[in-house]
Amino acid sequence: MSKFHILVVEDDAPVRNLITTTLKAHDYGFLTAADGQEAVMAAASHNPDVILLDLGLPDMDGVEVIRRVRSWSNVPIIVISARSEDSDKIDALDAGADDYLTKPFSVEELLARLRVIQRRLSQMEDQSPHAVFVNGQLKIDYAAGCVYLNGEEIHLTPIEYKLLCLLARNIGKVLTHRFITQSVWGASWENDVGSLRVFMATLRKKLETSPDGPRYIQTHVGVGYRMVRVE
Ligand code: CA
């Protein structure tokens, strides 16, 4: 397999060096950009496998970089932001980012996120026609519209089924409340987070059997939800 190439977009040299040193030590290929303009150009000319993107750039907002790159590319984008405000993360995710890390972050955390993306990409290559989705003990038969947990069929309402399929198709990716409500109900329901929570609660009741907490669907407080890959 050829080396995984990562575009590191960060104007802060010490942080950029920390990231590239980490990547080098773990045998990742990389290139760097110190501002938004350079980032967009590098994304277009080098076609990286993943982009690590700082949001606070000198020439343009990182969210703008996401919008531009998304106009032609589906490359996974992990946002690295010093901003702890939920609204910044949400703007980035809504613009098409896949995941986020908040500074200060540990290098282990960064490497873990990269592994998740790598696994997702290799799985996407493996199973081209997505007739059946399998994650741990959860199975979705898209053609039949049936969901199984531990080998037994579970009965979902149409809305719960739509929610589950949306999360499954975007496994590993944080989906914002707005993205979910728009996808499931359409624009008129935009930001009806209260209703979304109710449907999510009933879906989880059917899906999450462990008393130790959710296995399949992770809550990102104030941001949204993500389906995690279960071993
Ligand atoms: Ca910065």
Side-chain angles (χ1 to χ4, degrees):
M1 209 180 110
S2 64
K3 230 177 189 179
F4 212 65
H5 270 84
I6 298 161
L7 170 59
V8 180
V9 186
E10 171 65 77
D11 59 315
D12 187 348
V15 179
R16 196 170 61 230
N17 290 340
L18 170 71
I19 296 173
T20 54
T21 306
T22 304
L23 294 178
K24 204 185 240 167
H26 290 82
D27 209 29
Y28 286 107
F30 62 85
L31 64 155
T32 61
D35 62 43
Q37 202 68 43
E38 215 184 306
V40 173
M41 301 252 296
S45 55
H46 290 87
N47 203 16
D49 297 299
V50 175
I51 300 177
L52 294 177
L53 176 68
D54 177 32
L55 283 186
L57 297 169
D59 59 335
M60 70 173 91
D61 198 296
V63 175
E64 181 56 29
V65 174
I66 299 172
R67 284 200 193 101
R68 293 194 191 180
V69 171
R70 275 289 170 268
S71 66
W72 83 84
S73 167
N74 283 322
V75 57
I77 300 174
I78 303 177
V79 158
I80 301 181
S81 171
R83 310 172 194 177
S84 52
E85 295 283 328
D86 283 341
S87 63
D88 293 316
K89 291 176 198 160
I90 292 167
D91 285 348
L93 292 164
D94 275 339
D98 292 72
D99 200 355
Y100 60 85
L101 282 168
T102 305
K103 287 180 191 168
F105 58 91
S106 70
V107 293
E108 285 76 21
E109 205 180 343
L110 169 64
L111 291 167
R113 303 296 174 93
L114 285 174
R115 284 195 297 271
V116 169
I117 299 260
Q118 274 180 296
R119 223 180 307 154
R120 196 173 89 206
L121 291 176
S122 66
Q123 274 159 355
M124 272 161 60
E125 279 170 11
D126 291 351
Q127 28 172 286
S128 20
H130 298 276
V132 176
F133 168 88
V134 178
N135 183 20
Q137 294 300 311
L138 172 68
K139 188 173 136 185
I140 306 172
D141 182 338
Y142 289 126
C146 297
V147 179
Y148 302 88
L149 190 66
N150 301 315
E152 285 185 34
E153 186 172 1
I154 55 172
H155 296 280
L156 303 181
T157 65
I159 295 278
E160 290 164 357
Y161 181 73
K162 264 178 120 171
L163 274 173
L164 182 64
C165 290
L166 184 69
L167 289 160
R169 288 208 162 100
N170 292 282
I171 187 165
K173 183 166 172 164
V174 181
L175 304 182
T176 62
H177 295 134
R178 195 205 300 181
F179 179 83
I180 298 172
T181 51
Q182 280 189 350
S183 307
V184 175
W185 290 285
S188 57
W189 276 61
E190 188 173 318
N191 288 327
D192 189 350
V193 178
S195 303
L196 174 59
R197 274 207 194 99
V198 172
F199 284 108
M200 207 56 108
T202 62
L203 171 62
R204 283 171 136 173
K205 223 181 222 167
K206 296 176 183 178
L207 209 67
E208 307 282 9
T209 48
S210 160
D212 307 331
R215 283 181 81 201
Y216 294 101
I217 302 173
Q218 209 176 52
T219 301
H220 287 244
V221 178
V223 177
Y225 300 92
R226 148 162 56 197
M227 179 174 287
V228 289
R229 178 64 65 183
V230 174
E231 298 307 327

